Amino acid sequence: MSRAGKFIPGGGGGKAKRTGPIRAPDPAAPPTDPNAPPSGKKPFGKGLIKPVAKSQRLPIAIMSGFCCLLISIATGYYLAYLPAIRSRDAAIQAQKDLEKQLDDQRAADERAKKAAAQLLLSQHCVLTVNTNPTGATVTIGDFHQTSPANFTNINPGTIHIVIRADGYEDYNQDVTVTTDKPTDLGTITLVQETGSLSLASPQSGVAYKLTGPANYSHEGQVPDKLDQLPIGDYLVTVSLGDWTLSPFPVTINDGKTTEKEIKFPYGKVSIGTTPSGATVRNGRTVLGQTPLSLTQLRPGDLHLTVDLPPYTLQRVDIHVPDFGNATKQITLHQDRDLIAACGMPMVWIPDGGFWAGKYQVRQSDFETVTGYNPSFFHSPGRPVETVSWDSAMAFINKLNQYEAKAGKLPQGYHYALPKESQWETFNADADINQAATSRVTTLTSTQDAGYSAPNKYGLYDTLGNVWEWCLDTDDKGNHSLRGGCWLSSPTDFPDADTRQTGIPQYTDRFTGFRVVLVPN
């Protein structure tokens, strides 16, 4: 083969490497740069990628980071969040589907129950019954219900109904029931079981109160009879004046009368003295003179005083038994007590060594000695009042003469007004709350001498009734007054130590005196 037109580089010398055919240059191609580097090597900074200016590098880096962030968010949304949302929605839908299945099942069960009930009704009878009062036990065969009752499983035919309630008569009825329609007996009024109560007493003025079931309450006077009482247990409380006995029970039975006699357990006390005629007191209350019979006394202990001047006052304790009789016989003894010729009882005060008047000087005593009576509240048995200290001293002078003339003045002694120290001695344990004052109830005048309970020496009214002149004189020439009076109140007479003074000529309806018999 001719090798014309072929050029083998390197000439003919040596063995040349074959690189392929040699083609003529393309006329449209740009001229070749003789200084271009060998094929396969590109010069730095030239070609497809051009160098970036320094001022553009930071914006380009920020833009690149932002693009990467967007790509990351998009990747997380599509690869993580979106699948989680889809999974949650699928779970919610599955829950809804399950709930719907359960609802459908419940509805089906309810329809089945109604169908079963309808089937039962078609095979059994229905009966309803109510009672007045409600709560009674309704029995049909072996079935029991409390009214209002509704029976749904009764076999057709004639049935027997029994209704029972405490305190009411049993109710019985035969009823025919059918399956075609329910039977309603309505409301059956039960008849109460009742009885009667008869109350009597041998004592008059007895009141009672009866309480019982269902808040029953009734009050009345004995004797009394109560009919149509509901059966059951009751309590009866009886009273006579301010005496109330403990409640006692009674039971009312059906168709029967319960009878109760009420007796207050009064006792009796009989008291006799030698000599007789002694005054018996309970506190400041005079019960009478011996021989004394006391009836209708409450059971308990009596603390009495027995007083007959000039005999020494005695204190007696007597127990009053239930429905019993206590008897006491007392022998009175005279110690050093005496009665003055003018009639004044005088009591020996052993702690003072003198006598003191058992009472404040009474109007009868004063008039016997002086022949006149200055009192505003005229009554022989009341203490003399409207008397001055001077008048009291004048009375005492005449009294000493009167008693000496009568031979009744003890040798070595004379009558006088008491000193305050002597007054405080014989006042002793007198009870201010038992005195004739207006501390509790307002008094409008003096009271009979001996109004109060006696103190331990047997003296009366050392507190209250009238103020008592004493012998003591203050630096102004005024004389002491002790003991308070009938108008004294807790405000102006707070206690037994309260004292007043008055000029020798002072008089009022609140002031009197008591005498003592003291050594010369």
Side-chain angles (χ1 to χ4, degrees), residues 225-293:
K225 183 177 181 181
L226 302 175
D227 296 319
Q228 299 297 313
L229 288 176
I231 66 170
D233 295 326
Y234 292 76
L235 282 178
V236 181
T237 304
V238 294
S239 59
L240 183 57
D242 61 350
W243 187 9
T244 300
L245 299 182
S246 299
F248 61 89
V250 294
T251 300
I252 304 301
N253 298 303
D254 184 31
K256 297 181 179 179
T257 298
T258 301
E259 296 182 351
K260 284 291 182 180
E261 183 180 46
I262 299 168
K263 287 185 178 181
F264 281 74
Y266 284 116
K268 297 179 181 180
V269 170
S270 298
I271 302 174
T273 61
T274 303
S276 62
T279 299
V280 180
R281 293 173 181 255
N282 183 7
R284 70 182 182 194
T285 301
V286 176
L287 302 180
Q289 281 72 41
T290 58
L292 180 65
S293 179

Side-chain angles (χ1 to χ4, degrees), residues 47 55 114 225 283 304 311 335 355 368 376 382 412 448 496 514:
S55 60
K114 289 182 179 179
K225 183 177 181 181
L304 308 177
Y311 296 96
D335 187 10
W355 284 270
T368 297
F376 180 84
R382 294 189 182 190
D448 283 344
R514 184 188 307 262

Side-chain angles (χ1 to χ4, degrees), residues 270-487:
S270 298
I271 302 174
T273 61
T274 303
S276 62
T279 299
V280 180
R281 293 173 181 255
N282 183 7
R284 70 182 182 194
T285 301
V286 176
L287 302 180
Q289 281 72 41
T290 58
L292 180 65
S293 179
L294 303 174
T295 61
Q296 287 199 322
L297 296 177
R298 295 188 190 183
D301 294 323
L302 290 178
H303 306 288
L304 308 177
T305 59
V306 180
D307 194 8
L308 178 62
Y311 296 96
T312 302
L313 179 141
Q314 290 198 33
R315 300 182 184 275
V316 180
D317 295 330
I318 301 176
H319 179 74
V320 182
D322 290 4
F323 301 109
N325 184 22
T327 301
K328 192 77 171 181
Q329 184 64 35
I330 303 167
T331 300
L332 301 176
H333 301 279
Q334 185 176 0
D335 187 10
R336 298 186 64 177
D337 295 358
L338 59 89
I339 298 178
C342 67
M344 290 190 306
M346 302 297 293
V347 177
W348 176 252
I349 308 298
D351 297 325
F354 60 88
W355 284 270
K358 180 179 282 286
Y359 310 111
Q360 295 164 334
V361 175
R362 296 168 295 188
Q363 295 177 29
S364 59
D365 305 326
F366 191 92
E367 192 167 359
T368 297
V369 174
T370 65
Y372 77 100
N373 184 357
S375 301
F376 180 84
F377 302 107
H378 270 268
S379 178
R382 294 189 182 190
V384 66
E385 27 82 9
T386 317
V387 58
S388 66
W389 186 89
D390 287 341
S391 295
M393 291 298 292
F395 168 83
I396 288 174
N397 288 333
K398 289 186 177 182
L399 176 63
N400 281 310
Q401 297 171 13
Y402 188 95
E403 296 298 316
K405 184 177 180 180
K408 297 293 293 283
L409 187 64
Q411 186 175 3
Y413 286 82
H414 70 281
Y415 286 95
L417 286 178
K419 298 178 180 179
E420 280 198 74
S421 59
Q422 293 170 334
W423 184 93
E424 291 172 353
T425 297
F426 66 65
N427 181 56
D429 60 344
D431 186 353
I432 194 171
N433 295 313
Q434 295 287 322
T437 68
S438 294
R439 295 177 62 85
V440 179
T441 302
T442 301
L443 300 179
T444 58
S445 68
T446 57
Q447 305 296 306
D448 283 344
Y451 174 89
S452 71
N455 67 8
K456 71 176 185 178
Y457 296 120
L459 304 188
Y460 297 87
D461 303 324
T462 57
L463 299 176
N465 230 350
V466 291
W467 287 95
E468 298 182 10
W469 284 113
C470 291
L471 196 61
D472 306 71
T473 305
D474 63 18
D475 55 3
K476 295 180 180 180
N478 297 325
H479 294 280
S480 301
L481 289 163
R482 300 299 298 269
C485 70
W486 55 270
L487 196 59

